[in-house]
């Protein structure tokens, strides 16, 4: 039985080199065996990060029989192609969010992974921070009463718009794909519910035709309302708030606790007063360790593929509403 997972990294993308690759190296059940780049940067990255193998093509890395799993941080429009290639090569796959550009693309990817017996997980790393389980526990305890509203925001100001793939429409650019997907994911998973109506307005870049900002409203079957905003045109914020009949919970460091040394805050306000709980977690290491352990134990990750599919379905509805400039009623 394997003691650890041997990883290959497809691309020298910034998130791979600065976050996920070091997290695998910090983990106890994985090691980075190879990195590939089609831009000729693999050898330099391998030397810098002490990686044994470097490949000048993704295909060559996928042919390596010693690789157990791959991490795919490629631009959004390339996820489908390389997830399916990796699956056909028998590699387990951790793929950056969003999983693909549509629900149908994601379904095709996941079906291919199933056909080839490999594990797939979308890389929503934030969800592994313990603060979110604590929020669910507080909600379930009844301390804030019945939940009526959830709000979530994720934004940052994007400077390099001339060259950044986040504003390239043909590569799956846009604020909703890039950061809005986190708020949609958090709202669905914290509330444990699915929307029955979606309404989204976007601020579209007239030249690049991508959403620079999006403002969304989700209505749930149980009567809970939710809203989110995401943007490349606002200051850095990453937070959510859950409001109940007796109090509220504010999570001001919802999605990027790594920028605060792994410290998350859960601020609870009720009629009895206010308290702030501190919770710590290394989100990237927690993510890669969980995924590797699921492979080693032949178990499904806690973030299941049906959850990924539903998140992509909601993103589809959001873009549909944005384009049609009207709410989308979801048939159940």
């Amino acid at each position: 039985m394997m003691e650890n997972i041997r990883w290959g990294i497809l691309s020298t993308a910034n998130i791979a080199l600065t976050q996920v690759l070091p997290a695998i190296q910090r983990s106890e059940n994985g090691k980075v065996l190879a990195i590939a780049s089609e831009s000729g940067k693999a050898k330099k990255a391998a030397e810098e990060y002490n990686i044994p193998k470097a490949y000048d093509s993704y295909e060559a890395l996928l042919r390596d029989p010693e690789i157990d799993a791959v991490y795919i941080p490629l631009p959004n429009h390339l996820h489908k192609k390389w997830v399916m290639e990796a699956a056909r090569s028998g590699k387990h796959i951790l793929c950056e969010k969003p999983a693909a550009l549509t629900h149908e693309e994601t379904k095709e990817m996941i079906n291919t992974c199933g056909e080839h017996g490999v594990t797939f997980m979308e890389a929503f790393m934030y969800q592994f921070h313990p603060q979110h389980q604590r929020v669910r526990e507080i909600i379930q305890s009844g301390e804030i009463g019945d939940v009526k509203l959830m709000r979530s925001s994720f934004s940052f100001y994007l400077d390099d718009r001339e060259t950044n793939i986040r504003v390239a429409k043909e590569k799956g650019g846009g604020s909703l794909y890039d950061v809005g997907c986190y708020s949609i994911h958090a709202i669905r998973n914290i509330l444990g519910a699915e929307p029955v109506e979606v309404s989204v307005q976007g601020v579209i870049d007239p030249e690049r035709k991508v959403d620079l900002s999006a403002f969304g409203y989700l209505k749930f079957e149980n009567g809970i309302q939710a809203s989110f905003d995401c943007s490349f045109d606002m200051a850095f914020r990453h937070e959510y708030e859950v409001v109940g009949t007796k109090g509220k919970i504010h999570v001001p460091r919802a999605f990027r606790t790594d920028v605060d040394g792994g410290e998350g805050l859960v601020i609870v306000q009720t009629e009895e007063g206010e308290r702030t709980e501190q919770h710590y977690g290394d989100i990237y290491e927690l993510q890669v360790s969980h995924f590797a352990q699921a492979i080693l134990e032949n178990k499904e990750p806690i973030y299941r593929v049906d959850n990924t599919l539903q998140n992509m379905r909601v993103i589809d509805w959001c873009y549909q509403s944005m384009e049609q400039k009207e709410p989308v009623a979801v048939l159940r």
Side-chain angles (χ1 to χ4, degrees):
M1 185 175 177
M2 290 186 294
E3 294 182 357
N4 57 46
I5 295 300
R6 298 165 298 182
W7 288 84
I9 311 294
L10 294 190
S11 157
T12 54
N14 184 63
I15 190 172
L17 298 184
T18 63
Q19 303 293 348
V20 177
L21 192 160
I24 295 170
Q25 293 175 326
R26 291 195 301 272
S27 71
E28 295 182 358
N29 58 4
K31 63 180 180 180
V32 181
L33 187 62
I35 189 166
S37 173
E38 295 189 338
S39 61
K41 298 178 181 178
K43 184 177 180 181
K44 181 181 178 182
E47 291 172 354
E48 183 176 351
Y49 290 92
N50 196 28
I51 301 168
K53 302 181 183 183
Y55 292 103
D56 290 326
S57 74
Y58 304 142
E59 292 94 342
L61 186 149
L62 293 177
R63 287 194 297 268
D64 188 333
E66 293 189 309
I67 301 294
D68 304 309
V70 294
Y71 167 61
I72 299 178
L74 294 165
N76 298 339
H77 71 299
L78 295 177
H79 289 181
K80 177 186 173 183
K81 172 181 172 60
W82 290 105
V83 165
M84 295 177 72
E85 291 287 346
R88 295 183 185 118
S89 299
K91 311 304 185 188
H92 303 285
I93 302 148
L94 177 66
C95 178
E96 264 308 322
K97 40 51 60 184
L101 297 182
T102 66
H103 171 265
E104 283 303 313
E105 277 193 5
T106 308
K107 185 176 180 181
E108 187 177 352
M109 290 158 48
I110 288 173
N111 286 343
T112 300
C113 290
E115 291 167 6
H116 292 274
V118 301
T119 301
F120 173 91
M121 192 175 82
E122 185 183 21
F124 272 116
M125 76 301 179
Y126 88 93
Q127 67 186 311
F128 292 94
H129 196 284
Q131 67 180 340
H132 307 295
Q133 179 57 32
R134 179 58 184 147
V135 169
R136 285 187 282 265
E137 290 170 357
I138 294 169
I139 292 171
Q140 292 165 5
S141 75
E143 184 178 0
I144 65 167
D146 297 328
V147 174
K148 295 296 182 180
L149 171 70
M150 183 167 175
R151 299 184 295 194
S152 180
S153 301
F154 198 171
S155 66
F156 64 97
Y157 190 81
L158 184 64
D159 286 311
D160 56 334
R161 302 189 185 191
E162 295 303 317
T163 58
N164 199 300
I165 61 171
R166 290 180 173 90
V167 289
K169 186 174 179 62
E170 70 278 8
K171 296 181 179 181
S175 65
L176 184 59
Y177 276 140
D178 192 60
V179 285
C181 61
Y182 284 91
S183 288
I184 292 167
H185 188 275
I187 289 168
R188 294 180 44 255
N189 285 279
I190 294 296
L191 297 180
E194 300 296 343
V196 295
E197 186 175 292
V198 172
S199 179
V200 180
Q201 295 183 346
V203 176
I204 309 300
D205 185 300
E207 179 182 347
R208 300 175 180 87
K209 308 300 182 185
V210 298
D211 53 293
L212 297 178
S213 300
F215 306 88
Y217 303 88
L218 309 178
K219 181 180 179 181
F220 291 83
E221 193 172 31
N222 55 13
I224 298 175
Q225 305 285 330
S227 67
F228 71 88
D229 66 85
C230 56
S231 183
F232 296 151
D233 265 342
M234 301 183 196
F236 180 49
R237 304 137 61 232
H238 60 118
E239 61 185 346
Y240 65 74
E241 181 181 55
V242 183
V243 183
T245 54
K246 297 179 180 179
K248 66 178 182 178
I249 306 168
H250 180 214
V251 180
R253 301 172 180 173
F255 306 121
R256 290 294 310 273
T257 47
D258 56 296
V259 301
D260 289 291
E263 181 188 60
L265 302 175
V266 177
I267 304 170
V268 184
Q269 288 183 327
T270 66
E271 293 180 355
E272 297 178 359
E274 177 180 311
R275 74 174 185 278
T276 299
E277 300 180 5
Q278 295 171 303
H279 300 276
Y280 292 87
D282 182 346
I283 51 177
Y284 289 101
E285 190 276 327
L286 288 169
Q287 174 181 249
V288 296
S289 291
H290 174 78
F291 184 67
Q293 201 60 33
I295 297 168
L296 291 169
E297 297 179 4
N298 195 27
K299 293 181 179 179
E300 190 172 24
I302 57 169
Y303 181 37
R304 294 158 49 100
V305 292
D306 55 348
N307 196 337
T308 292
L309 284 167
Q310 183 59 20
N311 212 64
M312 289 304 308
R313 186 181 278 119
V314 177
I315 292 172
D316 279 358
W317 294 332
C318 288
Y319 272 116
Q320 182 183 342
S321 175
M322 195 187 304
E323 291 166 6
Q324 296 177 352
K325 298 183 174 10
E326 62 182 12
V328 173
V330 180
L331 297 177
R332 296 261 169 220

